[in-house]
Amino acid sequence: MAGAALAGVAGPAAAKDGGRRDWSIADIVEAPSVIDLALSRDGSEVAYILRRGDVKENREIFELHVVSIASRLDRIVATSSWLGALKLIPSQDAWSVLGDFGEGVQLYRFDRSGTRITIASQPDPVLVGSADGAISGMGDNPLVRFGVTSYRWRSDGRALFYSVLERQKSNPKPLFDAAVVEVSSRRRWEPTVNVQFYVRESDNKPVAIHSRPGSDIIARLLGGDADWQGETLYFSTTDDQERASRVTRWRWSASRGVERPVAGENAASDSLVGPYGGALSVHGYGADRRIIETSVGGSVHDYGPFVGTLSDPRSPGIWRSPEGDRVLVSVRLLDSPRYSILLLTKDGRRQLYSTEGSLTRCSFDKDLQTGACIQQGLARPPRLVSVDVLTGRVRPIADLAPRYDALRRLRFEPRSWRNAMGYASTGFIVWPSRYVATKRYPLIVITHGSDADEQFVSGGLQWNYPLQLFAQRGYIVALVNDPSPHQSATLTQAASAWSNCGEGMPPRQVQDLEWLNGVATYEALVRELVDAGAVDPTQVGIAGYSRGSQMVNVAITNSNVFRAASSGDGGYLEPAAWRFNRCTYAGVFGGGPGKASTDDLYRRLAPSYRAGNATGAILQQMAEPRAGAVDFYQSLRDAGVPAQITLYPGESEASDETHFFHIPANRMTAMHENLCWFDFWLRGISGSPVECPRIGDWKEMAIDWRNRKSRE
Amino acid sequence: MAGAALAGVAGPAAAKDGGRRDWSIADIVEAPSVIDLALSRDGSEVAYILRRGDVKENREIFELHVVSIASRLDRIVATSSWLGALKLIPSQDAWSVLGDFGEGVQLYRFDRSGTRITIASQPDPVLVGSADGAISGMGDNPLVRFGVTSYRWRSDGRALFYSVLERQKSNPKPLFDAAVVEVSSRRRWEPTVNVQFYVRESDNKPVAIHSRPGSDIIARLLGGDADWQGETLYFSTTDDQERASRVTRWRWSASRGVERPVAGENAASDSLVGPYGGALSVHGYGADRRIIETSVGGSVHDYGPFVGTLSDPRSPGIWRSPEGDRVLVSVRLLDSPRYSILLLTKDGRRQLYSTEGSLTRCSFDKDLQTGACIQQGLARPPRLVSVDVLTGRVRPIADLAPRYDALRRLRFEPRSWRNAMGYASTGFIVWPSRYVATKRYPLIVITHGSDADEQFVSGGLQWNYPLQLFAQRGYIVALVNDPSPHQSATLTQAASAWSNCGEGMPPRQVQDLEWLNGVATYEALVRELVDAGAVDPTQVGIAGYSRGSQMVNVAITNSNVFRAASSGDGGYLEPAAWRFNRCTYAGVFGGGPGKASTDDLYRRLAPSYRAGNATGAILQQMAEPRAGAVDFYQSLRDAGVPAQITLYPGESEASDETHFFHIPANRMTAMHENLCWFDFWLRGISGSPVECPRIGDWKEMAIDWRNRKSRE
């Protein structure tokens, strides 16, 4: 892979825009994101983890930075192939972080000088990722060995909970039934591991308090979702591999050991405690949503209307003042999708901190006086800001990606659309560089469910779709969210039926609300842009990965507005995936394929069954050779529809690329392929100015396709 | 795995039969087979390779033996984890053999004293088998590293062709389309290899004459099917991964190098040359089959009626006298399925060598005066015999498995059946020990397509179905072949349409002739045995692996005679396998699933689509977690049918069991599981005298099943 050559796609320094240069693919791949941030005890410094791609090294690099707020000096105190879970150590002038410094991921202490001390380690770390000999990991992580996987400090900092992976010696033995189903959904055998929970008090020896098999996904991936309340530790386990819904919550204390608590009591680990000591949540739908605090006793406090969600996983957090009377909670706003911080107080104050774009990854001092966040937006590179809680003033401390200030600013316009089914969706229009209102442009819709929001170069949203280059090359790009389930009880019910094996709603309606609903949104926005004279209706494409790939595959086989599509690492909704998605398929299709009772429902939605209805050329870019995607590819080709499936390789013949690509060369090649694909299938451009190695095949498919169309 | 405990299943020394002890599972696992045999130049000695399971070591052992015909002394001159391709080195008093003696499989010379000399080697052998880091191999081979994979001596012994695997350094790069389909059908990535063909003359340096990618299955698995004709070498290559039908034949000579020969000329590598120098073949159907020799000029010689086939892959071979006027060819007889040797001479003689059971794996001297073969039968352990070509006399030289003479002799009765569709099948009835004509017995049908013939403990036929123990435990066992395609032009056409994407016959008729035809045979034989008062119609089961698993899965979902089934490592005929079987599925179903045009055809045959029609409990024993088998299992359970799927492990977490199980502990556990399964589901026996670890689950399923039945 000629990384350097690809970095130049679309001429890195060619076009100028008020002294700003054009985006290149390398700019997208190397765009940094802050994944964790923690203020020092005295509030004078901020530590943060920056994750970025490195094209020359062809890998991701994780950096631990410390910034002095006064001097604005930013120092890199450590780099690693993986860092995570950065926290201030309570009552210390130091941070703790999980990282790999040559001995697999272990738990370390860093002070402001960058001195590293091991806090906890497991000397035989376990390979985690998509590779031979590894246990499977999270979708976006590179291949890393893990010893310690999670930890929690007790609030006094004198006790530590942590979890480790431990390899089990196991004689190979036959597997039965559900275990066979499970391994049939994986690419390879995985070693047997246990997850071991430890507590260490002061400098005593760690005490092993509980052990779980690696199949317990709450234990393995979330460290049991552990939570200290005073001297008592709470943690969760589950036996269900498909769903995390069968959860048992446990408590541990030094005196009584591990006990199963009564149902209800602290069963939910993520309860957000409000100023009255009750649980904060948002009730209602659409404009009627309100923040409510429900106390244990049952009394309710109403904080008024709020069209948003609390502590979204993409920017989680809640902070309480020492007296508990003031609470700051990170929020995601739904009307104009962005992240911010909301203050709620016992005396009834309520304040949303306002900035351009979003405030994410915040950290506040113990007294809840001052904090630090990342400010970022679709067009704004991330910068570190300080937040004065009392005044609400947000002040810049340091730009974290100054290189991006030198790049062409694209114009992102927030929009919302109401579709023919009556549901609303949010999103953004990205206008082409040098846009002229009198001209019609090609359009590409990009979707990933709910990630169209104010984040800078969000990999979750744009995956391998180089929207910046699309805009530069004269495309209008629409970034579109699914209709939010928070707008209606019926949509919430549909989402619930989908994940609960169909409970509460018939599958046909779930199909309508969860997939065809989004397609209706795309049709509404395309219509709007065509009617406005901005878009050429014969040049409309769609792209999306994961949840987005479902939408892409359904849209191209159920709507007639799209002429080209790029679908990323999908396969869900295909009959081939029923095997390991039986519960959700019961929700979507009423059961498995091949039955009279489910036939119509499969034929209505399963992309490979609808291949003959496809209205355009379909590219599938894969991290693994998923059966459903291959079935879709072959069904399309059987039906005479132009289609290509591309499988991107792992680092070696022993590993795979991950769902969210982590290898820069793959990301660049995939973006390049998408540029070529849409240029060719929407605009008839054959490879200039970028070289498209597969163009010969596409030309042949295009001729067959035109012939087929002319026969119809 | 308690191998020793299992070895005692059914009481090894408990029951006696005229001084003979009962078969144990270990006896089946350890039963030896001769896989290659070669006479010495002077005819005084025979070398052979014996392959056997070893329960204590829990692996297979390959032994190279040399027997003196005069003294009948049998010496083991080498043992290995893999041996193959034993040949006499022309004009030498020594043999050549491929074997692994610690450096991967290379080519060695052995003389009668057992002295081993390396003939050709590749110092960086490539792992072959079902394991991480290995390229895929043949179904029944253990995990072995291969350097040299095949070889052919020129008839003067002064030139040698051989092929080696060579690992390619490769940068991971994206795969497209057909290549993605291909890897989607495999469990894991494989390293990239080339197959390199060499010729070495006398003691010169080897010359690399041709190189092929590892995807060329003729090059990789068959060493290019190379063949010396005088000084010229012919070999084949193919580009087609699914079918080996697109074959190119090449020739090489020292003077002219590699050239593509004109079509037709030596294009077929397997032509059997007769006494007139023409190609031998069998024409016609059923009782009208005749051996015909067709000369290059077109003249035809008719050797008369012959109900059999020539040089079957299970016992191949053809030998010509120095003058070419006499030809010996190994044959398989169809009416009463066994193997023998047929002499054809230019003066019109024709002689079939008769023995009890079969003559297989023969080797003859240069003058075609004398030879050696293995004599064996269903009830006869293998022995080495000499064959006097002139007189036809067959004389025993050595018993190769004397241990089996001490075991209970079972009664195998050859039978043939004509079914309701009018087609005939051959097979055998195995009568229970202590059979009493006045009693009705449970029956188990065992099938593997065409392997019910006179071989001793044929793994191909009985896989992990311990028929010897079934008979001892009071079952009647029927070993049944598919209706032979050689009996009718229509059946031959069906077989051809199946493998040629449906060419020449509509899929419905292919389904009838290739699957429902066999089911009709089972129904005919069950009816016959029930009518004869021998079989209890409520206690009929069926078992088979691979091709047999297709028949089992179709039979239990299309017939109402079976109450229990055991299906071995299958998944073909399932919609999930369409992805990598598109050509044959076009023959069977008319295309992929999910289309109006193919719906009825899938619903008519695909086992998972017919799960609700299943009439009995279905066990699937797997070497890999094949998607189709898992779909069948889940569909059965969804339909309330008792079902279990068991996945047997490889040697380690980095490997799989092979299609034909090669790990003795797995074979023993699987046979044990089959004993338990049929005992429970046909006879209601709950585990005595063998312990059945899953019996609790089965009892629960049986209650649900009875309740379902009573509701119907």
Side-chain angles (χ1 to χ4, degrees):
Chain A
M1 255 322 315
L6 278 176
V9 158
K16 293 281 178 178
D17 160 33
R20 293 166 180 272
R21 66 171 175 83
D22 271 355
W23 284 76
S24 70
I25 289 180
D27 291 324
I28 299 171
V29 170
E30 296 190 330
S33 63
V34 173
I35 59 168
D36 256 329
L37 185 154
L39 210 58
S40 66
R41 181 161 61 150
D42 63 4
S44 68
E45 290 187 314
V46 177
Y48 67 90
I49 299 171
L50 193 120
R51 177 181 187 167
R52 61 179 178 83
D54 190 301
V55 168
K56 265 207 205 87
E57 299 212 7
N58 196 28
R59 64 187 183 94
E60 286 186 303
I61 293 173
F62 289 68
E63 298 168 347
L64 179 60
H65 292 242
V66 174
V67 182
S68 155
I69 291 180
S71 72
R72 299 183 178 199
L73 187 70
D74 186 325
R75 288 159 292 144
I76 298 178
V77 299
T79 64
S80 171
S81 54
W82 195 88
L83 292 172
L86 175 69
K87 299 183 213 283
L88 176 67
I89 305 178
S91 317
Q92 291 195 28
D93 289 319
W95 294 273
S96 50
V97 69
L98 296 177
D100 185 349
F101 298 101
E103 297 172 342
V105 172
Q106 313 291 358
L107 179 58
Y108 296 97
R109 177 189 192 276
F110 276 92
D111 63 21
R112 57 186 64 194
S113 74
T115 305
R116 185 181 82 223
I117 296 168
T118 304
I119 297 173
S121 68
Q122 194 278 85
D124 179 27
V126 174
L127 194 67
V128 177
S130 299
D132 294 350
I135 67 165
S136 59
M138 301 291 270
D140 66 341
N141 268 344
L143 198 60
V144 177
R145 293 179 308 151
F146 273 88
V148 180
T149 59
S150 80
Y151 69 98
R152 288 285 190 292
W153 293 107
R154 198 169 67 192
S155 62
D156 61 3
R158 295 179 48 79
L160 171 70
F161 161 87
Y162 63 98
S163 59
V164 305
L165 294 182
E166 291 181 345
R167 196 186 314 271
Q168 297 303 107
K169 283 238 170 80
S170 68
N171 287 324
K173 58 184 178 200
L175 299 180
F176 301 101
D177 300 346
V180 181
V181 176
E182 216 268 317
V183 299
S184 84
S185 71
R186 289 197 256 120
R187 279 269 280 167
R188 41 176 77 82
W189 289 109
E190 298 186 359
T192 308
V193 299
N194 272 6
V195 185
Q196 186 67 53
F197 293 162
Y198 288 97
V199 169
R200 195 175 68 192
E201 294 200 74
S202 303
D203 291 327
N204 298 342
K205 265 193 69 156
V207 179
I209 62 166
H210 205 62
S211 176
R212 294 292 303 162
S215 57
D216 180 336
I217 55 173
I218 291 187
R220 196 178 88 231
L221 301 179
L222 304 176
D225 209 357
D227 186 27
W228 287 98
Q229 296 189 12
E231 306 270 305
T232 306
L233 176 79
Y234 289 82
F235 61 87
S236 298
T237 60
T238 182
D239 293 312
D240 193 321
Q241 298 184 357
E242 193 178 350
R243 293 185 288 165
S245 52
R246 274 191 245 155
V247 174
T248 307
R249 191 90 179 145
W250 308 84
R251 75 178 154 216
W252 173 89
S253 62
S255 54
R256 297 192 300 184
V258 169
E259 308 163 295
R260 186 192 299 250
V262 291
E265 187 202 345
N266 295 291
S269 61
D270 58 351
S271 74
L272 302 165
V273 179
Y276 292 87
L280 289 172
S281 57
V282 187
H283 285 239
Y285 299 99
D288 296 332
R289 284 172 74 78
R290 307 180 77 83
I291 299 182
I292 302 292
E293 181 174 350
T294 311
S295 304
V296 179
S299 72
V300 163
H301 189 84
D302 185 339
Y303 292 91
F306 179 71
V307 184
T309 58
L310 306 181
S311 195
D312 185 279
R314 286 161 288 195
S315 180
I318 185 160
W319 302 266
R320 305 183 76 201
S321 62
E323 304 75 28
D325 59 335
R326 292 178 301 136
V327 166
L328 269 175
V329 58
S330 58
V331 297
R332 185 171 191 274
L333 305 173
L334 290 170
D335 279 351
S336 168
R338 62 192 182 89
Y339 303 87
S340 189
I341 303 292
L342 180 72
L343 177 71
L344 300 174
T345 69
K346 209 164 183 171
D347 59 18
R349 247 182 83 204
R350 177 189 142 151
Q351 183 182 354
L352 186 71
Y353 292 74
S354 71
T355 45
E356 178 207 331
S358 292
L359 290 175
T360 61
R361 305 283 164 197
C362 298
S363 173
F364 290 90
D365 69 350
K366 224 179 161 178
D367 296 334
L368 216 61
Q369 302 285 346
T370 180
C373 295
I374 302 300
Q375 183 189 3
Q376 61 176 317
L378 278 158
R380 151 154 301 291
R383 67 179 178 191
L384 186 63
V385 296
S386 70
V387 177
D388 186 309
V389 177
L390 281 178
T391 65
R393 206 164 134 193
V394 174
R395 277 187 304 194
I397 301 170
D399 286 331
L400 303 187
R403 150 181 174 183
Y404 293 84
D405 291 327
L407 295 187
R408 179 189 292 279
R409 275 289 166 101
L410 300 170
R411 187 151 68 88
F412 294 86
E413 182 190 327
R415 284 274 180 110
S416 71
W417 302 275
R418 190 162 295 276
N419 67 27
M421 294 172 69
Y423 292 104
S425 290
T426 55
F428 298 83
I429 298 293
V430 194
W431 294 101
S433 313
R434 296 172 288 270
Y435 175 72
V436 181
T438 54
K439 215 183 115 188
R440 286 189 184 268
Y441 289 84
L443 167 69
I444 297 174
V445 172
I446 298 176
T447 186
H448 180 240
S450 66
D451 277 333
D453 59 21
E454 290 283 2
Q455 295 186 80
F456 185 69
V457 191
S458 158
L461 169 64
Q462 70 175 87
W463 200 59
N464 300 316
Y465 312 115
L467 66 91
Q468 293 79 1
L469 277 77
F470 285 137
Q472 282 172 183
R473 290 171 69 76
Y475 289 87
I476 297 177
V477 178
L479 310 175
V480 189
N481 289 317
D482 289 341
S484 164
H486 301 300
Q487 72 188 279
S488 108
T490 308
L491 284 192
T492 299
Q493 223 179 317
S496 161
W498 179 16
S499 54
N500 288 298
C501 320
E503 212 178 291
M505 188 177 281
R508 173 176 289 261
Q509 201 182 351
V510 172
Q511 294 188 350
D512 286 345
L513 296 173
E514 292 292 332
W515 289 276
L516 302 178
N517 196 1
V519 174
T521 298
Y522 312 146
E523 290 175 339
L525 79 89
V526 169
R527 164 72 36 179
E528 184 180 294
L529 289 166
V530 168
D531 288 352
V535 159
D536 178 341
T538 69
Q539 298 188 333
V540 180
I542 183 166
Y545 96 108
S546 197
R547 163 65 182 173
S549 79
Q550 299 168 24
M551 293 308 301
V552 168
N553 299 350
V554 169
I556 194 95
T557 54
N558 277 279
S559 171
N560 60 12
V561 306
F562 298 107
R563 296 292 162 266
S566 182
S567 172
D569 204 38
Y572 187 77
L573 293 182
E574 290 297 344
W578 168 68
R579 202 166 70 254
F580 41 92
N581 291 290
R582 291 215 297 171
C583 173
T584 64
Y585 271 42
V588 183
F589 298 110
K595 290 188 272 197
S597 61
T598 62
D599 258 355
D600 285 352
L601 291 158
Y602 275 92
R603 203 139 310 160
R604 201 165 176 257
L605 204 68
S608 68
Y609 282 13
R610 300 188 59 81
N613 300 86
T615 56
I618 295 141
L619 170 66
Q620 293 181 92
Q621 299 177 315
M622 309 298 296
E624 291 180 26
R626 298 178 198 279
V630 174
D631 283 348
F632 187 36
Y633 162 74
Q634 295 200 126
S635 299
L636 290 165
R637 294 300 291 265
D638 277 1
V641 179
Q644 178 175 311
I645 184 164
T646 310
L647 175 63
Y648 284 83
E651 286 88 348
S652 74
E653 280 158 341
S655 67
D656 293 313
E657 180 53 282
T658 43
H659 187 47
F660 182 87
F661 286 19
H662 70 281
I663 302 173
N666 281 345
R667 294 204 65 202
M668 296 182 74
T669 308
M671 289 194 216
H672 185 115
E673 186 171 52
N674 280 316
L675 284 178
C676 285
W677 186 257
F678 286 110
D679 270 5
F680 181 80
W681 291 104
L682 292 185
R683 309 167 82 180
I685 298 173
S686 292
S688 166
V690 291
E691 204 182 300
C692 300
R694 304 265 305 169
I695 205 99
D697 287 0
W698 302 351
K699 286 179 177 170
E700 280 178 36
M701 288 194 290
I703 292 166
D704 292 346
W705 179 236
R706 271 196 300 275
N707 291 342
R708 189 196 117 167
K709 287 280 159 206
S710 69
R711 279 196 310 272
E712 276 170 7
Chain B
M1 256 321 311
L6 277 175
V9 158
K16 293 281 178 177
D17 162 32
R20 294 167 178 273
R21 66 171 175 83
D22 272 356
W23 285 74
S24 69
I25 289 180
D27 292 322
I28 299 171
V29 170
E30 296 191 331
S33 62
V34 173
I35 59 169
D36 258 328
L37 184 155
L39 211 56
S40 66
R41 181 160 62 150
D42 63 2
S44 68
E45 290 187 315
V46 177
Y48 67 92
I49 299 171
L50 192 121
R51 178 182 187 167
R52 61 179 179 83
D54 190 300
V55 168
K56 266 207 205 87
E57 299 212 6
N58 196 26
R59 63 187 184 96
E60 286 185 303
I61 294 173
F62 290 66
E63 298 169 346
L64 179 61
H65 291 243
V66 174
V67 182
S68 156
I69 291 180
S71 72
R72 300 184 177 199
L73 186 70
D74 185 325
R75 288 160 293 145
I76 298 177
V77 299
T79 64
S80 171
S81 55
W82 195 86
L83 291 173
L86 174 68
K87 299 183 214 282
L88 177 66
I89 305 177
S91 316
Q92 291 195 28
D93 289 320
W95 293 274
S96 51
V97 69
L98 296 177
D100 184 350
F101 297 101
E103 298 172 341
V105 173
Q106 313 290 358
L107 178 58
Y108 296 96
R109 177 189 193 275
F110 276 91
D111 63 21
R112 58 185 64 193
S113 76
T115 305
R116 186 180 81 224
I117 296 169
T118 304
I119 298 174
S121 69
Q122 195 279 85
D124 180 27
V126 174
L127 194 67
V128 176
S130 300
D132 293 352
I135 67 165
S136 59
M138 303 289 271
D140 67 340
N141 268 344
L143 198 59
V144 178
R145 294 179 308 150
F146 272 89
V148 180
T149 59
S150 78
Y151 69 98
R152 289 284 191 291
W153 293 107
R154 198 168 68 192
S155 62
D156 62 1
R158 295 178 51 80
L160 171 70
F161 162 88
Y162 64 98
S163 60
V164 305
L165 293 182
E166 291 182 345
R167 195 186 315 271
Q168 296 304 107
K169 284 240 169 77
S170 69
N171 287 325
K173 58 185 178 198
L175 299 180
F176 300 103
D177 299 347
V180 181
V181 177
E182 215 268 316
V183 299
S184 83
S185 71
R186 288 197 257 121
R187 278 270 280 168
R188 40 175 76 82
W189 291 108
E190 298 185 359
T192 308
V193 298
N194 272 5
V195 185
Q196 186 68 52
F197 293 162
Y198 288 96
V199 169
R200 194 176 70 192
E201 295 200 72
S202 303
D203 290 329
N204 298 341
K205 264 192 70 155
V207 179
I209 61 165
H210 205 63
S211 177
R212 295 291 304 162
S215 57
D216 180 336
I217 54 173
I218 292 187
R220 195 178 89 233
L221 300 179
L222 303 177
D225 210 357
D227 186 25
W228 286 97
Q229 297 188 12
E231 305 269 305
T232 306
L233 177 79
Y234 289 83
F235 61 86
S236 299
T237 61
T238 182
D239 294 313
D240 193 322
Q241 297 183 358
E242 193 178 347
R243 291 186 288 165
S245 53
R246 277 192 242 154
V247 174
T248 306
R249 191 87 178 149
W250 308 83
R251 73 175 156 218
W252 173 89
S253 62
S255 54
R256 299 191 299 185
V258 170
E259 308 162 296
R260 186 192 299 251
V262 292
E265 186 199 347
N266 295 293
S269 62
D270 58 352
S271 74
L272 303 166
V273 179
Y276 291 88
L280 289 172
S281 57
V282 187
H283 285 242
Y285 299 99
D288 297 332
R289 284 173 75 79
R290 306 180 78 84
I291 299 182
I292 302 292
E293 181 175 349
T294 311
S295 304
V296 179
S299 71
V300 164
H301 190 85
D302 184 339
Y303 293 91
F306 180 71
V307 184
T309 58
L310 306 181
S311 196
D312 184 279
R314 286 162 286 195
S315 180
I318 185 161
W319 302 264
R320 304 183 75 199
S321 63
E323 304 74 28
D325 59 335
R326 292 179 301 138
V327 167
L328 269 177
V329 58
S330 58
V331 296
R332 186 173 190 274
L333 305 173
L334 291 170
D335 279 350
S336 169
R338 62 191 182 90
Y339 302 86
S340 189
I341 303 291
L342 181 72
L343 177 71
L344 300 173
T345 68
K346 210 166 184 170
D347 59 16
R349 246 182 85 204
R350 176 189 143 152
Q351 182 181 354
L352 186 70
Y353 293 73
S354 72
T355 45
E356 180 208 329
S358 292
L359 289 176
T360 61
R361 304 283 164 197
C362 298
S363 173
F364 290 90
D365 69 351
K366 225 180 162 176
D367 296 332
L368 215 61
Q369 301 286 345
T370 180
C373 296
I374 302 300
Q375 183 188 3
Q376 61 176 317
L378 279 158
R380 150 155 301 292
R383 67 179 179 192
L384 186 64
V385 296
S386 70
V387 177
D388 185 309
V389 177
L390 281 178
T391 64
R393 204 163 135 195
V394 174
R395 275 186 305 192
I397 300 170
D399 286 332
L400 304 187
R403 152 179 171 183
Y404 293 85
D405 291 327
L407 296 187
R408 179 190 292 278
R409 277 287 166 103
L410 300 170
R411 188 152 66 88
F412 294 86
E413 180 191 329
R415 284 274 180 111
S416 71
W417 302 276
R418 189 162 295 275
N419 68 27
M421 294 172 69
Y423 293 104
S425 292
T426 55
F428 298 83
I429 298 292
V430 195
W431 294 102
S433 312
R434 296 172 290 270
Y435 176 71
V436 180
T438 52
K439 217 182 116 188
R440 287 189 184 268
Y441 290 84
L443 167 69
I444 298 174
V445 172
I446 298 177
T447 186
H448 180 240
S450 66
D451 277 332
D453 60 22
E454 289 284 0
Q455 294 185 81
F456 185 70
V457 190
S458 158
L461 169 65
Q462 71 175 82
W463 201 57
N464 300 316
Y465 312 115
L467 66 91
Q468 293 78 0
L469 277 76
F470 285 137
Q472 283 172 183
R473 289 170 70 74
Y475 290 87
I476 297 178
V477 178
L479 311 176
V480 188
N481 288 317
D482 289 342
S484 164
H486 301 300
Q487 72 188 279
S488 106
T490 308
L491 283 192
T492 299
Q493 223 179 317
S496 162
W498 179 17
S499 55
N500 288 298
C501 320
E503 213 178 290
M505 189 178 281
R508 175 176 288 262
Q509 200 182 350
V510 172
Q511 294 188 351
D512 286 344
L513 296 174
E514 291 292 333
W515 288 276
L516 301 179
N517 196 1
V519 174
T521 297
Y522 312 145
E523 289 175 341
L525 80 88
V526 170
R527 165 70 38 178
E528 183 179 294
L529 289 166
V530 168
D531 287 352
V535 160
D536 178 342
T538 68
Q539 297 189 333
V540 180
I542 183 166
Y545 97 108
S546 199
R547 163 64 180 174
S549 80
Q550 298 169 24
M551 293 308 302
V552 168
N553 298 351
V554 169
I556 194 96
T557 55
N558 277 279
S559 171
N560 61 10
V561 305
F562 298 106
R563 296 293 163 267
S566 180
S567 172
D569 203 39
Y572 188 78
L573 295 182
E574 289 297 343
W578 168 67
R579 203 166 71 253
F580 40 92
N581 290 291
R582 291 215 298 170
C583 172
T584 64
Y585 272 43
V588 184
F589 298 110
K595 292 188 271 199
S597 62
T598 62
D599 258 355
D600 284 351
L601 291 158
Y602 275 93
R603 202 137 315 157
R604 200 165 176 260
L605 203 68
S608 69
Y609 282 13
R610 299 188 60 79
N613 300 86
T615 55
I618 295 142
L619 170 67
Q620 293 182 91
Q621 298 178 315
M622 308 298 297
E624 291 181 25
R626 299 179 196 279
V630 175
D631 283 349
F632 187 37
Y633 162 74
Q634 294 199 127
S635 298
L636 289 165
R637 294 300 291 264
D638 277 2
V641 180
Q644 178 175 311
I645 185 164
T646 311
L647 175 62
Y648 284 82
E651 285 88 347
S652 73
E653 279 158 342
S655 67
D656 293 312
E657 181 53 280
T658 43
H659 187 48
F660 183 87
F661 286 18
H662 70 280
I663 302 173
N666 281 345
R667 295 204 64 203
M668 296 181 75
T669 309
M671 288 194 215
H672 185 113
E673 187 171 50
N674 280 316
L675 283 178
C676 285
W677 187 258
F678 286 109
D679 270 4
F680 180 80
W681 291 104
L682 293 185
R683 309 168 82 181
I685 298 172
S686 292
S688 167
V690 293
E691 205 182 302
C692 301
R694 306 265 305 170
I695 205 100
D697 287 1
W698 303 350
K699 285 180 178 171
E700 280 178 35
M701 290 195 289
I703 292 166
D704 293 348
W705 180 236
R706 269 197 301 274
N707 290 343
R708 190 196 119 169
K709 287 282 159 202
S710 69
R711 279 195 310 272
E712 275 170 5

